[in-house]
Amino acid sequence: SFKSVEDIISLLRSAITRIKRNPGFVASKLDRKNNQIDQVWALLHPTVVTLARPRFEAGHYADAVEAVLKELNTAVKLIHKQVANEELDGATLMRKALTPNKPTIVLDDLATDTGRNIQQGHMDLFAGAMVGVRNPKAHGNVVISPERAIHHFFLASLLFQKLDERL
């Protein structure tokens, strides 16, 4: 109705007046948000930041996640190929390279139950990241929220860190 439109216009005018009187209010909110996202980037593995940040800041959240997980796949592929002279991809690669039974990438002491559990658990995480996160984004036009992208960045960051710590 016309009355509703008048009410909306009145609210917008009021908001514009408040912003004009206190422009620092909006700027401080933006500064806080930028500071929070800077804190997130500071926690992530450098490879994740390098690949994801430009895409994320351009609003391409799913693309940012896909790029990071493709790079993780490539990193594992290179190590596995160097050791086993075998080229695999995705979950198959992760399961073969990180298996607790004669892995090409050793993440912990396989002589102990704890070490074998760590190896098995991370193998499952690596394979799961390929199947459950990378593949849907690589094979379709997936739209995700910025928050979901950040969750995936933390998963990828954990996996990159674990790969860096390998024995």
Side-chain angles (χ1 to χ4, degrees):
S1 78
F2 186 71
K3 177 66 176 143
S4 296
V5 173
E6 284 181 326
D7 290 344
I8 292 170
I9 291 170
S10 176
L11 284 171
L12 289 172
R13 283 186 180 137
S14 175
I16 290 168
T17 300
R18 277 182 271 152
I19 290 169
K20 284 180 179 176
R21 287 182 184 160
N22 189 6
F25 177 74
V26 174
S28 70
K29 279 195 175 266
L30 291 174
D31 288 344
R32 275 194 303 254
K33 186 172 184 173
N34 289 337
N35 186 35
Q36 288 171 340
I37 195 68
D38 285 343
Q39 290 173 4
V40 168
W41 293 120
L43 295 172
L44 296 170
H45 189 276
T47 303
V48 174
V49 175
T50 299
L51 289 169
R53 192 170 190 169
R55 290 169 173 89
F56 182 89
E57 289 176 349
H60 303 292
Y61 310 122
D63 181 55
V65 172
E66 181 185 354
V68 167
L69 290 175
K70 281 181 177 177
E71 185 64 23
L72 181 66
N73 185 75
T74 299
V76 173
K77 185 184 286 193
L78 290 172
I79 296 166
H80 180 73
K81 185 165 175 59
Q82 189 176 38
V83 174
N85 198 29
E86 176 182 42
E87 190 159 333
L88 299 171
D89 190 64
T92 304
L93 166 65
M94 302 307 159
R95 289 187 180 108
K96 181 85 181 243
L98 297 160
T99 179
N101 306 314
K102 297 185 182 175
T104 56
I105 299 173
V106 179
L107 301 177
D108 210 285
D109 181 3
L110 299 177
T112 67
D113 282 339
T114 299
R116 287 187 298 276
N117 286 337
I118 289 169
Q119 187 78 25
Q120 174 76 44
H122 281 83
M123 177 194 74
D124 292 338
L125 287 170
F126 274 85
M130 294 300 120
V131 174
V133 182
R134 183 199 69 167
N135 286 356
K137 287 162 188 52
H139 299 295
N141 291 318
V142 176
V143 177
I144 61 172
S145 69
E147 294 80 11
R148 179 52 53 106
I150 290 168
H151 295 160
H152 292 319
F153 297 155
F154 274 103
L155 171 62
S157 186
L158 169 74
L159 299 177
F160 270 113
Q161 290 288 355
K162 194 64 180 172
L163 199 57
D164 288 350
E165 296 166 359
R166 69 188 182 279
L167 302 180

